[in-house]
Amino acid sequence: EVVGMHSGERALEFCRQSPPDLILLDVMMPGMDGLTLCRALKRATETASVPVLFVTAQTEALDQTLALEVGGVDFISKPVNPVVVRARVRTHLTLKAQADQLRDLAYIDGLTGIANRRCFDERLRIEWKRAQRYGLFLAMLLLDVDYFKRYNDHYGHQEGDACLRAVAEALASFPVRGHDLVARYGGEEFVCLLPGCDPEGGHAMAEQVRAAIEAFGMAHADSPVADHVTVSIGVAALRPEEGSAPERLLESADGALYAAKHAGRNQVVLAS
């Protein structure tokens, strides 16, 4: 699918909202020129890894060097040869796909098969900035498997791993929108990141998650809460203010999770 933009400013906004796989960029454009646009694309987290192929009539070595220095991966000289364009586009799309596969492997939790903490940390920064830019809510659910140490001690670590995989599978089975993320936060903690979700929506989603995991009915004979596996969930939803840090959302969700555990576990608490 090919999308054309008629100005650097429009292209930058489009790419931030819907990062493409490849960008063909003219150097000489009215308003924002191609070099300036490429610098802006490389500064933005959402588009930093998108390969940029410059299309230019300038063939001087200095001009080509500048194109590479600002982050371009290749350049195509005008007048363009369609065969050459197709070949270079195909090559760089293949390289991008391979890089994406390696990046995906680095962002997957080896035990559960869902996103890992590294992936969550990066997405939190991206979605926090997006919510700031558009004045949207960003919600987070922070989950903890109740009395998981007792589960491990009673059933053994292999069964403990199976329990974590089952919780991850239950979380991953919920319908998610394009920007939603389910990740393992660490140990027996999991996190759901819900862009554009207000406090009431986040609380409702958390209650569905809690009930679904409880209904799964995985035995937990040494739990003081129930005879099956349960989770406690802290929910936070904020509209990020200009200059605020994403850690604020995480701290709020963590405080709500602590309150849920302190109140008896197997429940959802919404941060005030």
Side-chain angles (χ1 to χ4, degrees), residues 159-174:
E159 288 301 314
D161 288 349
C163 174
L164 294 178
R165 283 193 290 268
V167 171
E169 184 178 345
L171 290 173
S173 68
F174 273 83

Side-chain angles (χ1 to χ4, degrees), residues 10-11 13 16 67 115 119 128 139 154 162 177 183 189 206 216 228 235:
R10 288 184 62 187
E13 184 63 22
R16 282 174 172 170
C119 180
W128 185 263
H154 185 83
R177 302 158 303 159
E189 287 189 325
F216 197 72
H228 50 267
V235 183

Side-chain angles (χ1 to χ4, degrees), residues 143-152 163-164 167 188-189 210 213-214 220 222-226 228-233 257 260-262 264-268:
L143 299 79
D144 187 273
V145 179
D146 294 327
Y147 296 106
F148 184 70
K149 184 179 184 304
R150 291 193 179 192
Y151 188 97
N152 261 340
C163 174
L164 294 178
V167 171
E188 67 272 23
E189 287 189 325
R210 186 206 63 76
I213 291 173
E214 184 172 32
H220 189 347
D222 200 31
S223 171
V225 178
H228 50 267
V229 171
T230 59
V231 294
S232 301
I233 307 178
L257 174 60
K261 293 163 75 171
H262 186 71
R265 307 189 189 231
N266 190 26
Q267 59 187 279
V268 174

Side-chain angles (χ1 to χ4, degrees), residues 31-110:
M32 181 185 291
D33 64 64
L35 297 177
T36 303
L37 174 56
C38 188
R39 290 189 187 98
L41 289 166
K42 294 304 172 182
R43 284 195 299 267
T45 307
E46 303 95 326
T47 54
S49 64
V50 179
V52 176
L53 274 69
F54 278 103
V55 181
T56 177
Q58 300 172 330
T59 56
E60 295 294 330
L62 178 59
D63 296 322
Q64 295 174 356
T65 300
L66 282 173
L68 297 175
E69 285 180 348
V70 299
V73 296
D74 204 348
F75 54 88
I76 300 170
S77 299
K78 293 181 180 179
V80 297
N81 182 323
V83 176
V84 172
V85 173
R86 281 195 294 268
R88 292 193 176 179
V89 165
R90 188 163 50 245
T91 295
H92 287 289
L93 283 176
T94 300
L95 292 172
K96 174 67 161 54
Q98 292 171 346
D100 287 347
Q101 288 176 349
L102 290 173
R103 191 178 300 111
D104 288 345
L105 288 173
Y107 290 158
I108 296 298
D109 178 62

Side-chain angles (χ1 to χ4, degrees), residues 179-198:
H179 292 299
D180 291 348
L181 176 73
V182 173
R184 185 182 179 194
Y185 190 67
E188 67 272 23
E189 287 189 325
F190 296 84
V191 65
C192 302
L193 196 61
L194 308 173
C197 186
D198 62 18

Side-chain angles (χ1 to χ4, degrees), residues 57 122 215:
E122 291 195 12

